[in-house]
Amino acid sequence: MRDILPTLERWTADGLRTAVATVVSTERSAPRDPGAALAVSEGGEVAGSVTGGCVEPAVYQEAQEVLGGGEPRLRTYGIPDEDAFEVGLPCGGTVRIFVGLFEPATVTGLADAVRGERPVALVLPVSGAEANAARLVSGDQPAEDEVARHALELLAYGRTGMVEVEGEQVFVSSFAPRPNMYVFGAVDHAAALAEIGRFLGYRVTVCDARARFVTRERFPDVDELVVEWPDAFLRRAPVDERTAICVLTHDHKFDVPLLKVALRTPAAYIGAMGSRRTTDDRAERLRAEGVTDEELARLHAPIGLRIGARTPEEVAVAIAAELVRSLRGGAREASSRPEVGVGA
Amino acid sequence: MNRADVLVRAGRLAAEGVPFVLATVVSVERPASARVGDRGLVTEDGELVGWVGGACSEPIVVREALLTLADGEPRLLRIGPPGRVTEGADANTVVAASSCASEGIVEVLVVPQLPEPLLVVLGGSPAAETLARLAPEVGWRVAREPKPEADAVVVATMGHGDEDALAAALERGTGYVGLVASAKRATVVLEELRGRGVDEEALARVRSPAGLDLGPSTQAEIAVAVLAELVAWRHSGTIVPAAPELAIDPVCGMEVAVGAAKETTVHDGVTYYFCGAGCRSRFEADPARYLPVETP
């Protein structure tokens, strides 16, 4: 949806009515995630995609019918059973796509919020009498009803998905500013982690007290570079339920005061690098500083899944995988497959 | 071939993605024909170019080079006359007695240069695109079309030929074969492969869904899950070639690499392998002296 907002704004400015087909739910193998959208203007122009080409012709047809006065509609595409597969549907997975008209006010409101980096949820009832009564719920305002309450909950975590309110299906698409990833310690691992972090949709900041190491040459792709004592930076930096904090400083002098601050934030993920011995030693120091066992239990240390990573780039993958798992609640073990080696 | 030529040849092999081993003399106790800094290059076939001290140390360097190619671990070799060579060696050093009693002791560092593994990513889903962009950062070569020499194949074609790609990878014995698909679709794909006569053992090798289980994921997260599994797989020791076959020189008792041995002879229908021409001619002059005595 984000990708086609500029086009929607232009059509709206030109006074063209617009039908939007939105992916509201998928199975794992679907080519695009929920929230992906294809728009059709009444001039017949198309923007965006919902499956990367698999069902676009059919969806385009539905959008044309809606533009022509047809009811908004929820359609399911994919493989309902093996028979359909044998018939030769080209694409795996199943997608549900809602097709309805978009009001000009919805388009401009959404575009303004995204431009201003203000959190906003697009709420789209897809069943019942309210279907297609799209509206925006601002993350800065208190919830005025049950639907808005659900929407704000998802928005707080930057999630997009379906909720059920009073028996009706409502699709909530979060347009939250990118969540923050704070990486402390301007080491090689930080550069590699920053890159994967950006692929995962984070706004990445690298912070280190040593100005010599915090340079654009070393971190070309990072959103923000900060030369500051790490704990001082974290005290003033915004932290919410989506924030990831990765401590790669590897030095008690920095990471004990830093983790003391980090463990009392609502951050989604807090990890710290170091050998098992360093980790135990640091835990002792943190306890001595008054950090409780409950707070310590939030710390992922040694940071990263144990996948036998050797190079800084591989360690970054191990950290990213642990971050995803802690957000998504995957299996506790690195893998149930015995043939996958699990190294130190 | 001088020291610089060895590096030129090494550069060429690295660019071609061909494995080899660099051997460098790092210490010498005189008298020795090698000097610190001398180096050689050992190919997969056991050919040595360059200079690491001549016939006294070469068969040992070649043997250890081939072992290092097999397990990927560098080694420090300490080569010298029997007895004296074990003095002052630490536990991490491979000690080898040479057949040259008049020589001093040389230490040679052998380091394998293995090409980056090749990952084939099939399909154009966002997960496949992200995987293909991230994998080179982690030290993989990436191809977007089938390659017979691939170490790993990840199939995410969304149905456009999943079965063909998987069947081909399984047939070739590709080490890592992953399918990015829903459980339902994976069942259909595997059933189709079964119908084509792919056996259960091969089917069990298909990782489906590919990637570590990190929970329900977005497309970018699936790419991270697959990459993490590839890293784990790469370091689980499944990717390196088999260890070379070794034989014992019946004259001096040294282990030599069969494939690389230049000095061989056939006696009573049995092939014997030697560290050098000296041992071979001694054997040929009086084989009975070096063969195990048969118990009556």
Side-chain angles (χ1 to χ4, degrees):
Chain A
M1 171 66 75
R2 215 180 264 270
D3 51 334
I4 62 170
L5 268 179
T7 309
L8 291 184
E9 272 192 292
R10 201 181 73 229
W11 292 347
T12 303
D14 292 347
L16 294 170
R17 288 186 316 125
T18 302
V20 177
T22 309
V23 176
V24 296
S25 74
T26 65
E27 281 197 16
R28 184 179 159 111
S29 76
R32 297 207 58 189
D33 293 320
L38 174 143
V40 181
S41 79
E42 64 181 325
E45 264 192 280
V46 181
S49 87
V50 280
T51 60
C54 300
V55 301
E56 269 68 5
V59 171
Y60 178 77
Q61 202 51 47
E62 301 284 355
Q64 286 288 15
E65 285 178 33
V66 169
L67 280 169
E71 292 289 311
R73 57 204 65 191
L74 183 61
R75 292 283 181 264
T76 301
Y77 299 93
I79 313 169
D81 55 35
E82 282 184 40
D83 294 344
F85 179 72
E86 281 161 13
V87 169
L89 279 183
C91 298
T94 301
V95 290
R96 288 208 296 158
I97 294 173
F98 183 77
V99 189
L101 293 176
F102 252 45
E103 296 300 321
T106 308
V107 173
T108 51
L110 187 56
D112 285 347
V114 168
R115 232 189 326 271
E117 295 241 333
R118 291 191 308 276
V120 65
L122 172 66
V123 175
L124 196 59
V126 299
S127 71
E130 294 286 296
N132 202 34
R135 64 169 167 142
L136 298 176
V137 173
S138 166
D140 307 328
Q141 310 279 329
E144 53 197 30
D145 57 27
E146 194 63 5
V147 170
R149 200 181 58 72
H150 278 93
L152 286 177
E153 217 164 79
L154 286 181
L155 183 57
Y157 291 95
R159 300 249 170 93
T160 285
M162 202 73 104
V163 292
E164 202 178 292
V165 184
E166 286 151 16
E168 299 298 347
Q169 302 260 295
V170 179
F171 178 67
V172 176
S173 189
S174 285
F175 292 81
R178 286 178 294 163
N180 278 302
M181 174 186 279
Y182 298 125
V183 181
F184 296 96
V187 294
D188 289 344
H189 304 76
L193 180 58
E195 182 169 3
I196 300 190
R198 284 172 54 92
F199 268 102
L200 288 174
Y202 285 92
R203 183 183 180 280
V204 182
T205 301
V206 172
C207 171
D208 196 305
R210 304 163 300 176
R212 226 166 350 125
F213 295 100
V214 187
T215 63
R216 267 294 153 201
E217 289 71 46
R218 298 192 65 207
F219 300 99
D221 300 323
V222 165
D223 294 285
E224 194 179 349
L225 289 172
V226 177
V227 181
E228 194 173 345
W229 211 257
D231 59 310
F233 169 74
L234 192 60
R235 268 197 206 93
R236 67 175 175 82
V239 176
D240 61 26
E241 295 82 358
R242 303 161 65 212
T243 305
I245 298 174
C246 303
V247 178
L248 313 181
T249 38
H250 227 281
D251 182 341
H252 293 321
K253 175 167 88 254
F254 295 112
D255 56 17
V256 169
L258 171 60
L259 286 170
K260 202 177 149 189
V261 177
L263 291 170
R264 288 168 186 173
T265 65
Y269 173 86
I270 305 166
M273 187 176 263
S275 65
R276 176 56 63 189
R277 220 176 79 193
T278 307
T279 298
D280 292 344
D281 184 26
R282 184 173 49 217
E284 269 323 300
R285 288 164 190 257
L286 284 167
R287 278 195 199 92
E289 293 272 330
V291 173
T292 66
D293 284 345
E294 199 181 329
E295 287 167 339
L296 266 180
R298 295 182 59 209
L299 180 62
H300 294 268
I303 195 170
L305 292 189
R306 288 159 56 91
I307 55 173
R310 296 182 188 178
T311 65
E313 291 75 18
E314 289 178 346
V315 171
V317 170
I319 295 172
E322 183 176 66
L323 168 59
V324 170
R325 194 184 64 179
S326 78
L327 299 182
R328 301 293 177 181
R332 277 310 291 173
E333 293 304 309
S335 171
S336 55
R337 297 187 177 109
E339 69 266 35
V340 172
V342 176
Chain B
M1 186 173 275
N2 66 33
R3 292 179 191 180
D5 290 338
V6 167
L7 291 187
V8 169
R9 173 105 179 237
R12 205 178 303 137
L13 291 176
E16 290 166 3
V18 176
F20 63 94
V21 178
L22 266 186
T24 309
V25 176
V26 293
S27 95
V28 169
E29 285 174 32
R30 290 173 181 286
S33 48
R35 294 192 305 174
V36 171
D38 283 346
R39 63 180 150 230
L41 180 156
V42 181
T43 65
E44 273 180 297
D45 307 328
E47 185 201 351
L48 184 139
V49 296
W51 176 257
V52 289
C56 295
S57 49
E58 274 179 13
I60 296 165
V61 169
V62 168
R63 178 190 78 206
E64 294 297 322
L66 294 177
L67 288 169
T68 214
L69 269 187
D71 65 16
E73 297 296 330
R75 289 164 163 70
L76 182 62
L77 315 180
R78 185 174 165 86
I79 303 167
R84 200 151 59 82
V85 70
T86 50
E87 294 164 22
D90 72 48
N92 298 317
T93 306
V94 176
V95 177
S98 80
S99 49
C100 306
S102 63
E103 280 276 305
I105 294 168
V106 293
E107 290 194 325
V108 182
L109 179 66
V110 292
V111 181
Q113 310 289 328
L114 298 168
E116 292 186 335
L118 177 63
L119 168 67
V120 167
V121 181
L122 300 175
S125 70
E129 297 295 337
T130 306
L131 179 61
R133 282 182 60 185
L134 284 175
E137 304 288 331
V138 191
W140 289 74
R141 289 173 294 143
V142 173
R144 302 305 302 275
E145 69 278 319
K147 296 269 183 192
E149 71 274 25
D151 297 291
V153 173
V154 173
V155 177
T157 55
M158 300 292 167
H160 302 281
D162 280 359
E163 294 82 1
D164 293 343
L166 287 172
L170 290 172
E171 169 92 0
R172 288 189 199 107
T174 306
Y176 177 106
V177 181
L179 172 64
V180 177
S182 66
K184 196 195 287 178
R185 172 149 176 73
T187 308
V188 175
V189 170
L190 293 179
E191 199 45 54
E192 161 78 16
L193 288 175
R194 200 169 276 126
R196 293 188 188 189
V198 177
D199 65 44
E200 292 302 316
E201 202 178 319
L203 287 178
R205 290 180 46 227
V206 178
R207 293 156 194 268
S208 173
L212 299 186
D213 178 10
L214 305 178
S217 307
T218 65
Q219 292 279 326
E221 290 167 351
I222 291 170
V224 168
V226 174
L227 204 50
E229 189 170 64
L230 283 169
V231 170
W233 177 76
R234 180 178 183 177
H235 295 312
S236 64
T238 47
I239 199 167
V240 289
E245 189 189 341
L246 300 179
I248 294 187
D249 179 331
V251 177
C252 68
M254 183 191 294
E255 279 188 308
V256 294
V258 166
K262 291 194 181 68
E263 303 294 341
T264 65
T265 195
V266 178
H267 175 75
D268 276 351
V270 178
T271 306
Y272 295 89
Y273 301 87
F274 304 92
C275 71
C279 282
R280 178 177 55 77
S281 42
R282 255 173 282 168
F283 179 87
E284 284 168 351
D286 186 6
R289 188 177 158 200
Y290 300 105
L291 290 177
V293 181
E294 287 194 34
T295 43

